[in-house]
């Protein structure tokens, strides 16, 4: 079963022993029947300006598409959020094959990859670095990827990846419309209180997981796997795959849904 497969995985970093709080860690399995429909959840409002897109950076965990978040040009509000959040980066998690790679699961269903659009609470904090330490500081939209037809909006990003093959490489990347990576239906989602899924693992994230996945082609996903965890100087090159964290205990949290 998928649970057996996950236990085989060799997470790319050693999980720290002491985790900040440890009561609301991510990722988790989303049990559809245990989630609670919340009619008070408002529609999500994403306003992403392609002109704020700046660069792609291979940080040795994933590749980040980074945005200028010094103004309110690319924002997220509504849904479970009280405040307005600014888009600062998006990145992905994926596997060594198409059977696994996403961080969250839905009734233990494994997707081959997961997109994270990372936002911070600009109504309450003045810098991302501050927000990342606060329990209402961040909002991350998670979108599952499934293998199917080619995703036209993703191709511009896929074509740029060979330029950031090695850890610490950066390439200019502008005029990219992040909303092109969202599924048609952005009103059906699950939301819960969680954490960053890589160090510093801070419990600052309101997670918003889209119910509808996006489709990408096998070949597009294969280009993700051509990236490397290692920098150009290292003599042993390691392919960037399985960059997902193992699932964490729910610890009594409730996952709410925006749909019945
Ligand atoms: N996978 S995820 O939960 O979306 C996720 C996981 C880790 C991060 N992350 C890691 C380090 N940072 C970070 C970057 C700049 C900074 F000033 C402080 C940070 F914590 C960060 O935001 C950001 C997002
Ligand atoms: Zn992530």
């Amino acid at each position: 079963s998928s649970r057996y497969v996950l236990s085989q995985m060799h997470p790319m970093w050693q999980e720290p022993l002491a985790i900040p709080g440890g009561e609301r860690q991510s990722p988790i399995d989303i049990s559809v029947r245990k989630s609670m429909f919340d009619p008070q959840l408002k529609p999500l409002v994403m306003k992403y300006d392609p002109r704020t897109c700046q660069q792609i950076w291979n940080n040795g965990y994933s590749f980040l598409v980074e945005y200028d978040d010094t103004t309110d040009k690319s924002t997220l509000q509504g849904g479970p959020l009280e405040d307005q959040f600014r888009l600062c980066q998006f990145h992905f998690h994926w596997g060594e094959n198409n059977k696994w790679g996403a961080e969250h699961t839905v009734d233990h269903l494994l997707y081959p990859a997961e997109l994270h659009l990372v936002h911070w609470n600009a109504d309450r904090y003045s810098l991302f670095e501050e927000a990342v330490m606060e329990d209402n500081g961040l909002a991350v939209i998670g979108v599952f990827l499934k293998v199917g037809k080619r995703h036209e909006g993703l191709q511009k990003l896929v074509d740029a990846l060979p330029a950031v093959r090695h850890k610490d490489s950066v390439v200019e990347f502008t005029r990219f419309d992040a909303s092109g990576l969202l599924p048609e239906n952005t009103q059906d989602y699950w939301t819960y209180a969680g954490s960053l899924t890589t160090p510093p693992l801070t419990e600052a994230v309101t997670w918003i997981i889209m119910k509808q996945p996006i489709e990408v082609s096998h070949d597009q996903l294969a280009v993700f796997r051509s990236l490397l965890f290692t920098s150009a100087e290292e003599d042993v090159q390691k392919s960037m795959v399985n960059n997902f964290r193992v699932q964490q205990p729910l610890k009594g949290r409730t996952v709410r849904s925006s749909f019945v």
Side-chain angles (χ1 to χ4, degrees), residues 86-107:
R86 276 184 201 164
L87 175 66
C88 68
Q89 54 105 333
F90 70 79
H91 62 274
F92 297 81
H93 302 262
W94 60 91
E96 63 192 69
N97 58 46
N98 293 339
K99 286 185 285 224
W100 63 74
E103 297 210 297
H104 292 86
T105 51
V106 180
D107 289 343

Side-chain angles (χ1 to χ4, degrees), residues 91-93 103 114-116 118 140 197-198 207:
H91 62 274
F92 297 81
H93 302 262
E103 297 210 297
E114 186 172 332
L115 160 64
H116 289 158
V118 182
V140 182
T197 65
T198 71
W207 279 96

